[in-house]
Amino acid sequence: MKSGGHLLLLLDPAITSGNPPAFEKTGLEALTRRWGIELENDVVVDPKYGVPLLGAQDFLATRYSDSPVTRDLMTNNLRVLFSLARSLKVSSPGGKDVKNQFLVQSSMKAWGMTSLAHLENASKRPGDIAPPLTLAAAAWSTHKKAPARLIVVGDSDFLGDSLVQSDAANMLFAMNAVHWLLSQENQIAIPPKSVITTHLSISASQMRFLLILFVFLLPAVMVGTGVYIYFRRRH
């Protein structure tokens, strides 16, 4: 990063397996803090935008910044699906050549649960983090000799097979993030839908049957029905 590198961090809440469980450090707190991005020790829940049959910890994000990474998502009202995510705090970066901004935020109905003892019960408690909660943030250096770029996401599950397949916005967000990190802004766009070409193979005998059916039989049936109705009404 000091030499102008590009870094993508997908940082789930780090939770110990003790009894009771507790949050633990990732070892990357000092790095992200230098770029003005703090890692919160919480689990984001959003009952209003939660996924049915899963729970409040699986929810859809509703707020985006006007960044090249998320502009298409905001314009087309596409929502990224997160699962067991932590929140981030965007603050003033350490260097004068560094800028940052949030990319994705939760709704105003979400909150960050800071107590793991009540994780099964998604109810707001004293000490929880108030909304809106930042779920992804970007930072970059304006130094000409070292134009580094960083994106931090408080979740890695959004790129898992199940969530990517169920929500197209997840893959689009990930691809846009990588393009932005590599300074390939010209490739940041919603990809066109692929055209599926299908072919129907019909034998010569099937063609003759269809010809007789649609050219002779069906018109004859309609004409016969009309004649029958005409004479029936006359009598």
Side-chain angles (χ1 to χ4, degrees), residues 227-235:
V227 172
Y228 171 77
I229 294 175
Y230 172 76
F231 283 107
R232 183 184 179 94
R233 288 180 176 176
R234 291 195 61 181
H235 293 287

Side-chain angles (χ1 to χ4, degrees), residues 68-88:
V69 180
T70 53
R71 191 171 296 139
D72 284 338
L73 296 171
M74 179 174 58
T75 302
N76 294 276
N77 196 28
L78 300 175
R79 296 176 176 177
V80 179
L81 176 58
F82 289 92
S83 176
L84 199 65
R86 77 183 324 149
S87 67
L88 311 172

Side-chain angles (χ1 to χ4, degrees), residues 8 10 69 73 80 151 153 158-159 164 168-181:
L8 174 64
L10 309 179
V69 180
L73 296 171
V80 179
I151 287 182
V153 185
F158 82 97
L159 267 183
V164 165
N170 287 30
M171 180 59 74
L172 179 61
F173 172 58
M175 292 178 64
N176 287 355
V178 172
H179 287 315
W180 180 83
L181 287 172

Side-chain angles (χ1 to χ4, degrees), residues 177-227:
V178 172
H179 287 315
W180 180 83
L181 287 172
L182 299 178
S183 301
Q184 298 174 348
E185 282 86 350
N186 60 326
Q187 297 192 40
I188 296 178
I190 295 179
K193 293 183 178 179
S194 57
V195 178
I196 301 176
T197 304
T198 58
H199 300 275
L200 179 63
S201 299
I202 300 178
S203 64
S205 59
Q206 291 172 329
M207 284 291 294
R208 287 193 296 270
F209 172 76
L210 293 175
L211 178 65
I212 295 172
L213 176 64
F214 289 106
V215 177
F216 299 104
L217 292 181
L218 289 181
V221 170
M222 295 182 66
V223 171
T225 303
V227 172

